[in-house]
Amino acid sequence: MESEPSSAPGKGRDEAAGRGGVSRMLESPVVGMAPWIVFSVLVGPGRFEPAVLTALACVAVLVVGGRIVRRGTSWKLLEVSDVVFFAVMALVGAFASPGTHRWLETYAGEVANVALVVIAFGSMALRTPFTLQYAREQVDRAYWHSPVFLRTNDVITGVWGLAFLVAAVAGAYGDLVLRNPNNLWTGWIIQIAAIVAALRFTTWYPAVVRARAAGGPRRTRSVAALLLPVAGLLVPAGVVVLIFDSALWWLGIALIFAGGVLTRSLHHRSRPATDPDRA
């Protein structure tokens, strides 16, 4: 989540280069959101216990691994939220009545998504977007209060809040309107697409900021590069539709075709202008 332009001191670069791959991975807020993403995707009728246990296992690995690999680092808002939310979910699920348990199986995914929306926008309202704590581990301290650095983390945190809001609305529509928690579109495709878009934005936008500050080529800031992974998702989505919804076979084929055409087109547009392979 390094979001400051390329003028960071050499010391910060050397330290970044010396970090192990596991340490760099743990410095990403995406890793902190992994338990929530896993839980939201897995939970559903008959799957509450496996979902919450898998999420708790992710939390344990991230928290313990983080303390071992990155000794001396402070607890982050997202880590605390991980521990509290999934521990409470596990306790409630263990002692819940059959009716409450059925409610959790149906709506716990939306509860998790709404909780993340609150964390994202709440942290922004407190002027400490949750991505900021991770980003500060990747840049020199001199940039911690830079307006560009702070604004970049506000934008990225806001995009994650919007992604989980889309996931919450899609899940609620499937549960409350369609009365089908396992609906292919509202329970899986739309939610995964929102997360993939936010993941891509998290890596794309800091590069945009650095290129803009350095006066780099406009191609670096191409929206095509942002949309490429989302377009690529259309192909597996089409395959899933063909497998699980034979009544919409035509839509599955259309998604595969559109995904292939869009991916090729966006890949072509996102190449550097000096690329010799460009037409």
Side-chain angles (χ1 to χ4, degrees):
M1 190 74 62
E2 184 177 346
S3 45
E4 193 63 29
S6 58
S7 56
K11 179 181 177 182
R13 293 180 183 275
D14 293 341
E15 290 175 352
R19 288 194 301 262
V22 174
S23 180
R24 289 195 298 272
M25 181 184 69
L26 291 170
E27 290 173 359
S28 169
V30 175
V31 175
M33 285 181 282
W36 302 80
I37 296 171
V38 168
F39 181 77
S40 297
V41 171
L42 292 181
V43 74
R47 301 192 302 272
F48 177 78
E49 288 86 354
V52 75
L53 289 176
T54 303
L56 273 175
C58 289
V59 171
V61 169
L62 295 178
V63 170
V64 175
R67 302 288 81 75
I68 294 174
V69 175
R70 299 175 300 147
R71 293 180 182 178
T73 57
S74 60
W75 280 79
K76 298 177 174 62
L77 171 64
L78 202 53
E79 290 179 331
V80 174
S81 301
D82 290 349
V83 173
V84 172
F85 182 84
F86 292 109
V88 169
M89 276 287 180
L91 287 173
V92 171
F95 298 101
S97 66
T100 301
H101 199 274
R102 285 192 297 272
W103 188 93
L104 287 171
E105 289 183 336
T106 302
Y107 299 110
E110 284 71 73
V111 172
N113 286 324
V114 169
L116 272 174
V117 172
V118 172
I119 291 170
F121 291 117
S123 67
M124 291 173 63
L126 295 174
R127 304 181 68 84
T128 311
F130 72 78
T131 61
L132 187 62
Q133 293 174 299
Y134 295 90
R136 282 177 172 170
E137 294 183 348
Q138 301 180 48
V139 302
D140 191 277
R141 185 181 291 269
Y143 296 106
W144 284 11
H145 302 289
S146 161
V148 174
F149 180 70
L150 297 174
R151 184 171 61 251
T152 299
N153 281 279
D154 263 332
V155 171
I156 294 174
T157 299
V159 166
W160 275 106
L162 289 174
F164 283 104
L165 180 61
V166 168
V169 171
Y173 185 83
D175 295 340
L176 299 173
V177 178
L178 302 180
R179 300 291 180 181
N180 180 11
N182 288 320
N183 181 271
L184 186 63
W185 290 93
T186 61
W188 299 86
I189 295 177
I190 294 175
Q191 297 193 39
I192 292 174
I195 292 170
V196 169
L199 283 168
R200 177 54 183 157
F201 187 87
T202 299
T203 58
W204 175 82
Y205 187 66
V208 169
V209 175
R210 288 192 294 269
R212 185 183 299 151
R218 293 186 64 185
R219 181 64 56 183
T220 305
R221 304 193 291 269
S222 171
V223 176
L226 171 63
L227 298 178
L228 186 57
V230 182
L233 191 63
L234 293 176
V235 174
V239 173
V240 169
V241 171
L242 284 176
I243 295 173
F244 295 103
D245 196 347
S246 58
L248 293 176
W249 61 268
W250 56 270
L251 180 57
I253 294 175
L255 287 173
I256 294 171
F257 178 78
V261 171
L262 283 174
T263 298
R264 182 177 178 82
S265 174
L266 292 171
H267 181 71
H268 178 76
R269 291 173 179 272
S270 64
R271 290 178 183 174
T274 56
D275 192 327
D277 292 333
R278 289 199 65 194

